Amino acid sequence: MTAPAFINMYQQLIAEPSISALDPQLNMSNYSTIELLAAWCENLGFQVEITELDSAPGKFNLLAKRGEGEGGLMLAGHTDTVPFDDSRWSYDPFKLSEVDNKLYGLGSIDMKGFFAFVIEAIKQLDTQGAKQAKPIMILATADEETTMAGAQEVAKHQSLKPEFCVIGEPTDMVPVFTHKGHMSTAIRVTGRSGHSSDPARGLNAIEVMHKIIAKLLQLKDTLKNKYSIEHFAIPYPTLNLGHIHGGDNANRICGCCELHLDIRPLPGLSIQELQLLLLEAVKPINDEYPNSVAVIDLHDPIPAFTGTTDSALVKLAEAVSGEQAIAVNYCTEAPFLQQLGCETIVMGPGSIEQAHQPDEFLAMEKIKPSQEKITQLINELCFKTKKAT
């Protein structure tokens, strides 16, 4: 018995809801998706290990391995998807819909579909009689879209030592050798509420937040002017004021105001340094209004992924894809999986422009060339055959 046909795998993966969200009402287990992958991997002769996350009960990682010895290639992806707004989807998010030469479905490119490509590639190589020479590992993680807890726990795996790692996020099969990190932070101002007719009897948290925002905009300019890496389309760290709420009535002094912001650090700018810059920016306001300002991580910060353009894996990926490796502004599990000591790239089917969008889709004309490149990459790194067909 072997894995199902490519499109059938795609259909089954999309049909298993596995949303991860910080809102408990939206958050789901990914176990049904993991079970699917485990069965397909076992049918191809992989030894499969399923592990429940210590930090997120009900969420699971899968590590499948075929072949003995050191090194080899790990093909990695996450099994979770973002939540969706049903009113903005034209199709059922949990049913693979083929319309106008596109495959629609939640996770079609971000990134459940990658597993179908990988398993199909291994099936093809086995059918061709190619002899495996190096270990192949398939890693499927949980909660990439929220905390990246799955990848962080894998990074602590003492005995997992692949030589190479390819993370199949949607890059249109262009290799990515470096990317920015991600910090989501809340700044909470606690004032004193009271009647608006007597401002002196309260402390208006909105007014205090106004002063903080001025400091944050200065920090935004500092980051733009002080740090730069030319590889990136946006060469500096970005700071975005994304969400603010406070107060409850026009005739009441606002007692609490909270601002959520997003910062994208460059490689070389550590999370610790960035957190210090943020604390320094708000310190004068906290000194003026003692103990009124709190800075809170909304989730564990994700460091930037630092790679090089001259690694063996990057050079091979460039040769296979016909594309020069690039830097991107979004972030992935790469900085955590890189901790295993492996050369790491991000490279997978589908366009990042479709990620987190209503009516997410994979363009069908990209299936064949993407499949050929993934198969060639696996062949070059793990099999003795010189060229995959």
Side-chain angles (χ1 to χ4, degrees):
M1 184 178 179
T2 187
F6 175 80
I7 290 295
N8 188 250
M9 283 191 285
Y10 237 101
Q11 290 170 335
Q12 292 185 55
L13 288 166
I14 299 304
E16 297 296 339
S18 55
I19 291 168
S20 66
L22 297 177
D23 182 347
Q25 293 186 329
L26 300 175
N27 200 29
M28 298 177 176
S29 174
N30 66 330
Y31 188 68
S32 59
T33 305
I34 291 289
E35 276 191 312
L36 270 182
L37 294 173
W40 298 341
C41 289
E42 286 172 346
N43 289 336
L44 289 173
F46 283 77
Q47 297 295 314
V48 174
E49 175 186 306
I50 297 174
T51 308
E52 188 170 14
L53 300 192
D54 292 333
S55 59
K59 300 299 184 82
F60 297 84
N61 286 341
L62 173 145
L63 178 61
K65 182 178 180 181
R66 195 178 81 175
E68 301 299 325
E70 300 291 322
L73 169 65
M74 184 166 72
L75 297 142
H78 61 84
T79 57
D80 59 318
T81 70
V82 293
F84 67 97
D85 182 347
D86 192 50
S87 67
R88 299 179 65 199
W89 275 73
S90 307
Y91 311 97
D92 183 343
F94 301 115
K95 180 180 179 181
L96 191 69
S97 301
E98 181 181 337
V99 181
D100 295 333
N101 209 33
K102 298 172 183 176
L103 293 177
Y104 291 92
L106 183 63
S108 56
I109 55 98
D110 188 21
M111 60 169 293
K112 288 181 174 181
F114 176 65
F115 295 109
F117 279 93
V118 166
I119 291 170
E120 181 67 22
I122 295 167
K123 281 169 52 183
Q124 288 181 15
L125 288 164
D126 287 349
T127 301
Q128 294 163 10
K131 185 176 180 181
Q132 186 178 330
K134 290 282 188 178
I136 305 172
M137 286 149 275
I138 297 174
L139 174 67
T141 62
D143 281 4
E144 187 271 351
E145 298 290 5
T146 50
T147 63
M148 297 206 180
Q152 292 190 63
E153 292 196 14
V154 170
K156 301 172 185 176
H157 205 301
Q158 296 290 327
S159 60
L160 184 57
K161 300 292 182 185
E163 185 177 1
F164 305 108
C165 177
V166 176
I167 301 170
E169 293 278 7
T171 69
D172 270 334
M173 295 305 296
V174 177
V176 170
F177 76 95
T178 187
H179 64 60
K180 293 181 180 180
H182 181 218
M183 281 177 57
S184 288
T185 305
I187 297 181
R188 183 179 299 150
V189 175
T190 303
R192 294 187 307 277
S193 60
H195 198 283
S196 62
S197 63
D198 191 353
R201 297 193 65 176
L203 176 62
N204 193 310
I206 292 176
E207 293 182 10
V208 176
M209 186 64 79
H210 174 73
K211 296 184 177 185
I212 288 173
I213 289 174
K215 294 292 185 181
L216 292 175
L217 294 178
Q218 290 176 9
L219 175 59
K220 180 179 180 178
D221 287 340
T222 298
L223 292 173
K224 182 175 182 179
N225 296 327
K226 185 177 180 181
Y227 303 95
S228 180
I229 296 179
E230 63 181 359
H231 291 299
F232 290 89
I234 301 169
Y236 50 86
T238 55
L239 187 157
N240 179 63
L241 309 180
H243 172 70
I244 191 169
H245 61 275
D248 50 26
N249 206 46
N251 64 357
R252 183 173 164 85
I253 297 169
C254 175
C256 185
C257 184
E258 187 165 301
L259 169 71
H260 294 181
L261 57 96
D262 166 292
I263 305 178
R264 304 276 171 158
L266 291 170
L269 177 56
S270 72
I271 294 296
Q272 293 75 18
E273 182 180 357
L274 200 50
Q275 288 174 325
L276 183 60
L277 289 171
L278 193 56
L279 289 172
E280 288 176 345
V282 302
K283 184 178 184 301
I285 312 302
N286 213 15
D287 289 344
E288 185 177 356
Y289 306 99
N291 302 315
S292 65
V293 183
V295 179
I296 306 159
D297 287 333
L298 292 171
H299 59 72
D300 288 342
I302 300 158
F305 164 47
T306 305
T308 64
T309 56
D310 59 357
S311 74
L313 182 57
V314 168
K315 292 300 184 186
L316 174 61
E318 288 180 331
V320 167
S321 67
E323 302 281 353
Q324 187 174 359
I326 61 171
V328 295
N329 298 311
Y330 54 84
C331 66
T332 74
E333 296 171 315
F336 301 112
L337 300 184
Q338 187 184 41
Q339 293 174 26
L340 297 171
C342 45
E343 291 187 18
T344 302
I345 60 169
V346 183
M347 178 176 168
S351 169
I352 193 63
E353 298 300 323
Q354 288 301 312
H356 301 189
Q357 298 298 315
D359 292 343
E360 176 185 345
F361 69 84
L362 172 69
M364 293 183 70
E365 68 268 17
K366 294 184 178 181
I367 292 176
K368 183 178 179 181
S370 297
Q371 188 67 71
E372 288 173 348
K373 290 169 185 175
I374 291 170
T375 305
Q376 185 180 349
L377 197 62
I378 296 172
N379 176 67
E380 292 284 347
L381 292 171
C382 298
F383 287 81
K384 289 186 175 179
T385 307
K386 291 298 182 184
K387 185 178 179 181
T389 56

